[in-house]
Amino acid sequence: MSGNKSLDYPAKIISEVIANIDQYWFVSAMTIGTLLVIAAYCLQAATVTYQDVLNDRPIIGVLSQETSLHLHSKFPEENYTSYIASSYVKDVEKSGARVVPILIGKPRSYYRDIMGNINGVLFPGGATHFNQSNGYADAAQHIFEMAQKLNDAGDYFPIFGVCLGFELLVILASGRGLNENRIPCRSYENLPLHFTQDFRKSKMFHDAPRDIIDILKNKNVTVNVHRYCIVDENLSSHNLTKAWRNLQTSYSNDENGVRFVASIENKRYPFYGVQFHPEKSSFEWKSSKTYTHSFDAVRANRYFMDFFVNECRKSQRAFANTAEENAKLIYNYEPRFTGALGSSYHQCYMFEPRGNV
Ligand SMILES: *[C@@H]1O[C@H](CO)[C@@H](O)[C@H](O)[C@H]1NC(C)=O
Ligand SMILES: *[C@@H]1O[C@H](CO)[C@@H](O)[C@H](O)[C@H]1NC(C)=O
Ligand SMILES: *[C@@H]1O[C@H](CO)[C@@H](O)[C@H](O)[C@H]1NC(C)=O
Ligand SMILES: *[C@@H]1O[C@H](CO)[C@@H](O)[C@H](O)[C@H]1NC(C)=O
Ligand SMILES: *[C@@H]1O[C@H](CO)[C@@H](O)[C@H](O)[C@H]1NC(C)=O
């Protein structure tokens, strides 16, 4: 795979024009100024690119979130402050990456340090609120802001949001406020994706195998478990339509026929989100849920982390040495069999026991 392939050729053409400018004695300073403005505009709109060399030992940060009351009740003694559902960890691992857990409630420097050694971050789904101080959304905001800066400086840093994590990405891009930029809706079904006409122009689906697209389009294989949706109006009302490509990816419909954005990507940054759960078909087994486990569902859903891990392979960051890597990897923690305790997550990593509830 070659890097720089999505390089903005308008910017290239303009730099060639600028390079040839001294041939034209009549070009005024004003014209040069105009060209520079146009060049700056093209560069701003251009997709962030990466080096040719791929990193085949990617390490991905998975963000934890506040333990729910339900999960908390399963461990009354330990009083864990945060958790990561193991399904997200396994989904990343099965695509060829290792995981570092990222805890909530830390100062910005903690997130900066951890981002210095990893190749991308996954914002998992779940059920927390975005208004808790020092919580999931605050941690994600540090990461989101710093990832933009890294990318702007030519340091490729991808983010992928699933379900709640996808909604959070859009809300972070909208600016967090009292009114969260999403609508209440209801979707607890396995749904097909309705691809838009030009979905092949998206980064997410450009190279997706034909048979995977056929399954996603024609079979009910995307697992939906959400009470909020992002609709087109939420993107246009916050001026996000230009920066985020939704019209070129996919939609689904909720139980009341509301058409919601099923997948999204930022045009400039390697930031992606899906409203559905690519990890559940292979890794979540609560029998009262209707998650599809068919071979087609497993095959089609694995595409999403394959895609994201491939994006993270474009990042060259690494821990200074194996000892530092070992100290941070998720293998330092043992997942708990929460499914056997009635949780809808089959296994969870639990973090930071505290003294009081
Ligand atoms: C956070 O938002 C939820 C849902 O809107 C609300 O029930 C809760 O009271 C809010 N919490 C704080 C600390 O504002
Ligand atoms: C999201 O879009 C819906 C539908 O247009 C709208 O009612 C709602 O106010 C929007 N939310 C925000 C915060 O803009
Ligand atoms: C797939 O889901 C749609 C929308 O919920 C439903 O109308 C359709 O019957 C389902 N198809 C199959 C094959 O289950
Ligand atoms: C969207 O852009 C318009 C025109 O530039 C501006 O008036 C409006 O305040 C912007 N809205 C938001 C939510 O940023
Ligand atoms: C967890 O909280 C309970 C109730 O406040 C307390 O009795 C218990 O000692 C706490 N556990 C730990 C490990 O501190």
Side-chain angles (χ1 to χ4, degrees):
M1 195 185 291
S2 82
N4 294 352
K5 65 177 177 183
S6 55
L7 197 68
D8 43 294
Y9 61 88
K12 223 186 229 164
I13 289 168
I14 284 161
S15 61
E16 277 162 19
V17 169
I18 292 173
N20 290 325
I21 265 170
D22 56 6
Q23 296 173 7
Y24 308 100
W25 57 270
F26 52 84
V27 173
S28 69
M30 215 157 122
T31 315
I32 295 173
T34 310
L35 284 171
L36 287 176
V37 168
I38 297 171
Y41 176 80
C42 289
L43 286 174
Q44 183 58 34
T47 307
V48 171
T49 53
Y50 55 97
Q51 295 173 3
D52 271 336
V53 191
L54 292 183
N55 168 7
D56 64 1
R57 298 180 67 83
I59 296 184
I60 293 174
V62 178
L63 184 57
S64 66
Q65 69 181 256
E66 295 86 349
T67 44
S68 61
L69 279 180
H70 181 73
L71 207 48
H72 184 267
S73 71
K74 306 299 171 198
F75 302 99
E77 274 313 306
E78 292 91 337
N79 309 329
Y80 293 113
T81 50
S82 63
Y83 79 99
I84 292 173
S86 307
S87 46
Y88 294 98
V89 176
K90 294 177 204 176
D91 212 27
V92 165
E93 288 177 346
K94 72 99 183 58
S95 294
R98 284 164 298 162
V99 167
V100 160
I102 304 181
L103 304 185
I104 58 172
K106 303 287 178 192
R108 193 174 177 93
S109 56
Y110 164 88
Y111 301 100
R112 186 188 309 117
D113 289 350
I114 228 164
M115 287 168 76
N117 301 315
I118 59 178
N119 309 108
V121 173
L122 175 68
F123 296 163
T128 190
H129 294 304
F130 298 152
N131 58 4
Q132 321 229 43
S133 77
N134 286 317
Y136 177 64
D138 286 352
Q141 185 163 347
H142 290 306
I143 294 165
F144 181 75
E145 289 169 0
M146 289 188 280
Q148 288 182 56
K149 287 199 184 127
L150 290 175
N151 282 300
D152 284 338
D155 201 342
Y156 205 77
F157 198 97
I159 297 178
F160 199 100
V162 173
C163 196
L164 189 79
F166 150 82
E167 293 164 21
L168 181 53
L169 259 185
V170 172
I171 287 168
L172 289 171
S174 309
R176 286 163 71 199
L178 286 182
N179 294 322
E180 285 172 345
N181 195 17
R182 54 182 179 175
I183 60 165
C185 72
R186 243 193 92 77
S187 186
Y188 290 87
E189 288 175 301
N190 305 316
L191 296 173
L193 294 185
H194 301 303
F195 288 104
T196 51
Q197 252 184 343
D198 48 2
F199 76 101
R200 282 291 192 186
K201 289 186 183 155
S202 69
K203 292 177 274 180
M204 194 185 290
F205 295 114
H206 186 270
D207 296 324
R210 180 76 242 172
D211 59 329
I212 298 300
I213 296 296
D214 282 345
I215 297 170
L216 291 168
K217 197 196 272 185
N218 300 314
K219 303 200 168 171
N220 294 351
V221 294
T222 69
V223 176
N224 286 270
V225 191
H226 51 103
R227 291 185 295 126
Y228 292 95
C229 292
I230 308 289
V231 294
D232 276 346
E233 289 81 356
N234 294 122
L235 298 173
S236 50
S237 70
H238 284 70
N239 299 337
L240 299 179
T241 320
K242 267 195 185 143
W244 293 82
R245 207 186 312 254
N246 61 310
L247 292 173
Q248 289 175 352
T249 59
S250 62
Y251 291 89
S252 296
N253 296 312
D254 90 338
E255 289 170 19
N256 302 310
V258 173
R259 186 176 106 135
F260 61 85
V261 176
S263 62
I264 201 169
E265 67 185 30
N266 190 283
K267 287 181 194 165
R268 173 169 172 75
Y269 298 110
F271 298 168
Y272 308 90
V274 294
Q275 179 70 81
F276 55 89
H277 285 271
E279 78 291 352
K280 288 201 194 294
S281 286
S282 285
F283 300 114
E284 292 294 2
W285 295 98
K286 190 166 171 103
S287 52
S288 60
K289 304 283 178 186
T290 53
Y291 311 146
T292 167
H293 300 291
S294 68
F295 178 54
D296 276 345
V298 167
R299 213 151 61 94
N301 278 293
R302 75 163 292 151
Y303 174 74
F304 295 93
M305 279 307 112
D306 284 351
F307 167 78
F308 178 53
V309 172
N310 251 341
E311 283 291 289
C312 296
R313 288 189 177 98
K314 298 171 185 172
S315 157
Q316 303 301 322
R317 300 175 156 242
F319 283 94
N321 53 53
T322 306
E324 280 189 26
E325 194 177 271
N326 287 346
K328 292 284 163 42
L329 286 168
I330 200 154
Y331 312 120
N332 290 292
Y333 301 86
E334 274 180 37
R336 309 294 292 256
F337 186 5
T338 42
L341 304 173
S343 165
S344 55
Y345 297 118
H346 217 54
Q347 286 183 301
C348 288
Y349 290 92
M350 311 295 303
F351 302 105
E352 299 205 312
R354 68 179 157 196
N356 288 298
V357 184

